[in-house]
Amino acid sequence: MPAQQQNAGAPRSGAPKRGGRPAPHPSPSGDDRSLWATTAIRSAILNGEYSPGERLVEASLCERFSLSRFLVRAALQDLAGEGLVEVQRNKGAHVRKVSLAEAVEITQVRMVLEGLVAAEAAKRVTDAQAAELDEIRVLMRHAVEASEFRRYSDLNQRLHNLVRAIGSHQTAENILARLHGQLVRHQFAVSMLPGRLAVSLPQHERIIEAIRARDPDGAEAAMRAHIASVIDALHSLAEIGLS
Amino acid sequence: MPAQQQNAGAPRSGAPKRGGRPAPHPSPSGDDRSLWATTAIRSAILNGEYSPGERLVEASLCERFSLSRFLVRAALQDLAGEGLVEVQRNKGAHVRKVSLAEAVEITQVRMVLEGLVAAEAAKRVTDAQAAELDEIRVLMRHAVEASEFRRYSDLNQRLHNLVRAIGSHQTAENILARLHGQLVRHQFAVSMLPGRLAVSLPQHERIIEAIRARDPDGAEAAMRAHIASVIDALHSLAEIGLS
DNA sequence: GTCGGCATAAGTGTTGACAATCATGCTGGC
DNA sequence: GCCAGCATGATTGTCAACACTTATGCCGAC
């Protein structure tokens, strides 16, 4: 994925040398270390152990994860394909830094894709799945009443995952998974905006209702309306100055 | 530059199962062979020189493109990330075979993404771009009147490219480019269906009109309607038995 | 004849070393 | 003091050889 803007960035004030990384060794060996290497580095990035723009030196990664350089390189190439890191020839790999404008673009794409998936879900939903949707709705209401941010956020994730599962659209799911990784950071900020919870709940309820009613167009519209409001929230983040 | 590496690669016994590949050497050397390797193998696949499901043996590719195994492997991994090839551990790489069901999924995703891009295009179109759109419309009409399939197909491509350019949506464009590569074969078959030309023209005209009228919702709807009809065509391909 | 098991070939996975390139600090002249 | 140019260290790019896995064909037992 070509980045539109190269941040030729001056070395930021942040510490280039970190005292010490966690250095976890849950399974440094095994049958398929290639897959594990990619997974390990990916989750390190997603957990924020490497910040956006930070350089990923192959030798350091080798040491930290007890991997050969071969595997590290393969993993970095994979992650570059996922849009999580960016590699420049002879310059090495960096954690990709997504600007707010890019975050908006990504969310727009999410909007239309999740809309598609929601429509498919409305066509295919089974009674059991409908019941599970309803269960999530109830739990969400309780979470909002109790103002439990964390719980609501988990339910939000669970709802979107369930909708994707019901929709069973491999192609869309793959792309969504890729995009999701690229803006974990931004999404977190959005969910923290004041009043977001109360705005979000009725939108989610409308999505659930449309799918339960097996109304594809309604489900797509509801999903798009929901994510459109996330985009608005992103823009207001820009005004506040966070990103 | 460096001493030209000779690929001592494959001293195997007579292995050419095929009469012979074209074996083009337009630029076997240069400054960045890594990128060239990926490009070369990709276009070989897209040109149909390797058919879906066919195995891509590293040594053969080395010989054919005069590349080291290292570069071939890197290229295959890249193409796997693009969804053009599929690699199985210890089993090697194959040209990915997209089933008709997958082609439908991909086209559905294209539908919503191109819809998004069309809407953006309607918001941003300049007068000069509007004029170019109109030019394409005129040429399309002439092509249909003369029943010039090939010319119409080119114009179709040109129109979609122009819309993407106007829309300026990097994220959507990247995904669309990836998806496009995955179904060049199917798309060709669709455009050959009888009557496709006459059906397609008014749809394209509606897209052009909506963008020229700076009507985002109309543009999105028109684009979606157009690609939805391509999906119908794909289904009818299934009935005929082609794929 | 056919089926299981072994020997061998074909092909991929991985490694360590070396070359090329980029970043950095130093020297010397002005 | 400042800048060009070189020496040097750090980091990535590439290779050729080797290790491992999977496929293929042969052989003998039944």
Side-chain angles (χ1 to χ4, degrees), chain A residues 36-175:
Chain A
W36 183 82
T38 306
T39 309
I41 298 180
R42 175 172 32 225
S43 43
I45 293 174
L46 293 183
N47 287 342
E49 294 168 30
Y50 294 96
S51 27
E54 184 169 353
R55 195 162 166 204
L56 297 167
V57 178
E58 295 177 0
S60 317
L61 296 171
C62 292
E63 195 181 356
R64 165 138 189 240
F65 297 101
S66 304
L67 291 166
S68 68
R69 227 183 112 209
F70 178 87
L71 292 172
V72 167
R73 275 181 79 85
L76 287 177
Q77 211 176 331
D78 279 355
L79 295 176
E82 291 179 25
L84 262 179
V85 315
E86 208 171 0
V87 294
Q88 296 166 282
R89 190 182 170 77
N90 288 320
K91 295 269 218 75
H94 298 252
V95 179
R96 194 166 95 93
K97 198 186 225 163
V98 300
S99 67
L100 196 107
E102 286 173 301
V104 169
E105 279 201 357
I106 291 172
T107 309
Q108 285 178 321
V109 170
R110 266 196 61 202
M111 176 177 73
V112 297
L113 286 183
E114 296 228 40
L116 171 65
V117 171
E120 288 295 310
K123 291 181 198 163
R124 304 170 185 226
V125 61
T126 67
D127 290 348
Q129 290 165 332
E132 193 175 349
L133 284 171
D134 212 41
E135 182 194 332
I136 292 179
R137 167 162 54 180
V138 172
L139 293 174
M140 274 186 154
R141 271 189 198 153
H142 292 167
V144 169
E145 282 164 13
S147 294
E148 296 191 38
F149 277 84
R150 177 71 198 190
R151 177 176 298 276
Y152 186 81
S153 172
D154 289 348
L155 286 168
N156 175 32
Q157 188 113 339
R158 186 172 157 206
L159 172 59
H160 283 264
N161 286 341
L162 179 56
V163 171
R164 289 180 202 181
I166 300 174
S168 328
H169 198 291
Q170 268 311 121
T171 306
E173 266 184 76
N174 289 341
I175 299 172

Side-chain angles (χ1 to χ4, degrees), chain B residues 151-183:
Chain B
R151 176 176 298 277
Y152 187 81
S153 172
D154 289 348
L155 287 168
N156 175 32
Q157 187 112 340
R158 186 172 156 205
L159 172 59
H160 282 264
N161 286 343
L162 178 57
V163 171
R164 288 181 203 182
I166 299 174
S168 328
H169 199 292
Q170 273 303 308
T171 306
E173 266 185 77
N174 289 339
I175 298 172
L176 284 169
R178 233 203 283 267
L179 295 176
H180 181 71
Q182 296 179 25
L183 34 71

Side-chain angles (χ1 to χ4, degrees), chain B residues 92-135:
Chain B
H94 299 252
V95 179
R96 194 166 94 91
K97 197 187 228 163
V98 301
S99 67
L100 197 105
E102 285 172 301
V104 169
E105 279 201 359
I106 291 171
T107 310
Q108 285 177 322
V109 170
R110 266 196 61 202
M111 177 178 72
V112 296
L113 287 183
E114 297 228 38
L116 171 65
V117 171
E120 288 295 310
K123 291 181 199 163
R124 305 171 185 225
V125 61
T126 67
D127 291 348
Q129 290 165 333
E132 192 174 352
L133 284 171
D134 211 41
E135 182 195 332

Side-chain angles (χ1 to χ4, degrees), chain B residues 5-6 33-34 68-71 90-91:
Chain B
Q5 34 95 25
Q6 274 317 350
R33 310 212 299 307
S34 176
S68 70
R69 228 187 109 207
F70 178 88
L71 293 171
N90 288 321
K91 295 271 216 74

